[in-house]
Amino acid sequence: MKSGEWSLGYSLRSDNLLYMSDNKAKNKSKILSIDIINLYKYLTDNKNEYIMSKQLLRSGTSIGANLAESECASSKKDFLNKLYIALKECNETIYWIDLLKETKYIDADTFNSINSKCEEIKRMLSASTKTIQEQLKEKEI
């Protein structure tokens, strides 16, 4: 396969590092989703908190869902758009987890565990979107 080609309609092959990085982000987002689901169960069952926990559940699981959706992207721009949506959802998840900590629904250890996973995924997605955006600009020239 030539550099810069699509493979099965989803992954940029201009360098294998970007391809592997996107898979890592997807795998890490699945682990995060499981943590978020378990935290949601804890918050609703033990803390009777339904509003913020539902928002956290939606944004936290949406990261991986958008990365999965990106696998069927119809173009590089569509692929990039899905990554940007995942990045925004990641940022929203950080907001909700911080709010839950500040309102004392979760302890510092729970916050640190989930926040560090979100920050890592956020860095990966930021780097990927930047790289893809640069590739798209180079192609336009």
Side-chain angles (χ1 to χ4, degrees):
M1 180 165 296
K2 295 178 185 173
S3 176
E5 284 187 6
W6 260 160
S7 169
L8 300 176
Y10 75 94
S11 43
L12 295 171
R13 298 298 294 207
S14 60
D15 66 352
N16 287 330
L17 183 61
L18 178 60
Y19 179 78
M20 290 189 303
S21 175
D22 290 336
N23 285 334
K24 281 186 191 177
K26 183 181 172 195
N27 293 336
K28 288 179 182 292
S29 70
K30 186 174 183 180
I31 293 167
L32 174 64
S33 291
I34 292 167
D35 288 349
I36 298 268
I37 291 165
N38 288 329
L39 179 57
Y40 173 77
K41 290 178 190 176
Y42 167 78
L43 289 169
T44 56
D45 293 347
N46 298 331
K47 298 283 188 169
N48 293 321
E49 201 303 305
Y50 302 98
I51 308 299
M52 291 181 287
S53 59
K54 188 67 164 186
Q55 292 297 116
L56 175 68
L57 180 67
R58 288 178 181 172
S59 64
T61 57
S62 181
I63 300 163
N66 278 289
L67 292 176
E69 191 175 342
S70 75
E71 293 177 352
C72 294
S74 58
S75 66
K76 287 183 183 182
K77 286 183 180 180
D78 187 34
F79 181 75
L80 179 62
N81 186 48
K82 300 300 182 211
L83 292 187
Y84 272 125
I85 293 169
L87 178 59
K88 289 188 240 180
E89 294 293 342
C90 190
N91 214 43
E92 182 180 343
T93 301
I94 292 168
Y95 171 80
W96 290 117
I97 201 73
D98 184 54
L99 200 55
L100 285 163
K101 179 192 72 153
E102 293 296 322
T103 55
K104 304 198 183 331
Y105 279 103
I106 60 171
D107 60 25
D109 288 340
T110 303
F111 169 80
N112 290 334
S113 174
I114 292 178
N115 189 62
S116 65
K117 290 173 186 171
C118 285
E119 290 291 347
E120 182 180 7
I121 293 167
K122 183 178 172 181
R123 283 190 300 275
M124 294 170 81
L125 292 173
S126 292
S128 293
T129 54
K130 181 180 178 185
T131 300
I132 295 166
Q133 188 71 34
E134 289 171 359
Q135 290 173 345
L136 289 172
K137 284 182 182 177
E138 286 175 8
K139 192 173 182 179
E140 290 176 0
I141 295 175

